[in-house]
Amino acid sequence: IYCGTGRGDEQINPQTQFIRHFTEMEGLALGNVDDIHVDSRGVLWFATTLGLSRLTPLPEPPRDPPSVFVDQIRYRGQPYPISALGERDVALPTLPNDDHRLEIEYLGLNFQVGERLTYEAWLEGAESGWVDRGTQRILSYANLAPGDYRLHLRALNSRGEVSRQPATVTFSISPPFWMQGWFFLLAAIAIFT
């Protein structure tokens, strides 16, 4: 489906709900699109207030799905050192139980014009599967129970194509001192002596 607007032309794919925007950058004549005509060969003609443009529809070339990277990590409000270019796999040291505020920023990369990425995350150890995060690019965690966690992140383009390789952040939260083995051992010694 093609629609002429004051900002150019919109191509809408009803099956994927993908909207592609054509402007003068793609060769459309400047001005408002006043009329669209299809000739006998299937060529589209766009009449604008400042000119005439022709578009021969072709099948879209295959595209690579978006990539996703961990961009920044802050622990207790302090930055955790990671590459300035982002990383796909990050392993954090064990976080103490008393204050484990953790904030993770991530970023999807896609080189298609007009593409809007959305994100999904899954905190393995606390969630049962992928959770839609929309366009949100920051996750904050606090008050997680002691245990081992792995955060999986992936980006989706408007066609629903998912990152081939999710980004991951692995971390553990230590139990409080009264739940650790050495405390039980000292308590047992104190009780039996």
Side-chain angles (χ1 to χ4, degrees), residues 28-102:
L28 185 66
L30 293 172
N32 294 336
V33 177
D34 290 332
D35 194 19
I36 302 174
H37 176 74
V38 180
D39 68 18
S40 61
R41 295 173 296 162
V43 175
L44 296 164
W45 294 88
F46 299 94
T48 72
T49 53
L50 298 175
L52 183 67
S53 300
R54 179 184 77 181
L55 173 67
T56 304
L58 299 171
E60 288 193 45
R63 302 193 286 178
D64 289 330
S67 299
V68 66
F69 298 90
V70 176
D71 190 35
Q72 290 183 19
I73 296 178
R74 281 180 288 289
Y75 169 63
R76 293 181 173 176
Q78 300 300 314
Y80 181 80
I82 63 170
S83 169
L85 299 175
E87 294 185 28
R88 282 226 170 103
D89 296 303
V90 179
L92 298 176
T94 300
L95 309 178
N97 185 280
D98 60 341
D99 181 7
H100 55 268
R101 291 174 289 134
L102 185 63

Side-chain angles (χ1 to χ4, degrees), residues 2-192:
Y2 289 87
C3 302
T5 69
R7 293 183 20 205
D9 177 60
E10 310 288 340
Q11 176 193 43
I12 304 166
N13 184 331
Q15 295 170 331
T16 63
Q17 298 179 358
F18 177 70
I19 299 174
R20 183 173 177 195
H21 185 70
F22 293 95
T23 65
E24 61 274 3
M25 298 292 289
E26 288 80 27
L28 185 66
L30 293 172
N32 294 336
V33 177
D34 290 332
D35 194 19
I36 302 174
H37 176 74
V38 180
D39 68 18
S40 61
R41 295 173 296 162
V43 175
L44 296 164
W45 294 88
F46 299 94
T48 72
T49 53
L50 298 175
L52 183 67
S53 300
R54 179 184 77 181
L55 173 67
T56 304
L58 299 171
E60 288 193 45
R63 302 193 286 178
D64 289 330
S67 299
V68 66
F69 298 90
V70 176
D71 190 35
Q72 290 183 19
I73 296 178
R74 281 180 288 289
Y75 169 63
R76 293 181 173 176
Q78 300 300 314
Y80 181 80
I82 63 170
S83 169
L85 299 175
E87 294 185 28
R88 282 226 170 103
D89 296 303
V90 179
L92 298 176
T94 300
L95 309 178
N97 185 280
D98 60 341
D99 181 7
H100 55 268
R101 291 174 289 134
L102 185 63
E103 190 174 272
I104 300 166
E105 276 188 55
Y106 46 94
L107 173 67
L109 295 179
N110 190 47
F111 301 105
Q112 301 300 320
V113 175
E115 187 74 69
R116 184 174 149 219
L117 298 180
T118 58
Y119 300 93
E120 292 180 337
W122 171 25
L123 183 58
E124 190 177 347
E127 298 168 336
S128 59
W130 292 100
V131 177
D132 181 12
R133 301 293 180 182
T135 57
Q136 177 185 356
R137 292 185 34 242
I138 300 175
L139 290 173
S140 296
Y141 295 104
N143 301 322
L144 290 170
D148 298 324
Y149 297 94
R150 178 175 286 227
L151 175 64
H152 304 269
L153 301 161
R154 64 185 183 185
L156 294 86
N157 62 22
S158 55
R159 293 177 166 189
E161 298 166 328
V162 179
S163 304
R164 287 190 182 122
Q165 178 183 358
T168 60
V169 178
T170 307
F171 61 96
S172 297
I173 297 174
S174 65
F177 73 90
W178 64 86
M179 293 180 66
Q180 295 187 20
W182 63 265
F183 182 80
F184 288 121
L185 180 62
L186 288 176
I189 292 171
I191 290 171
F192 293 112

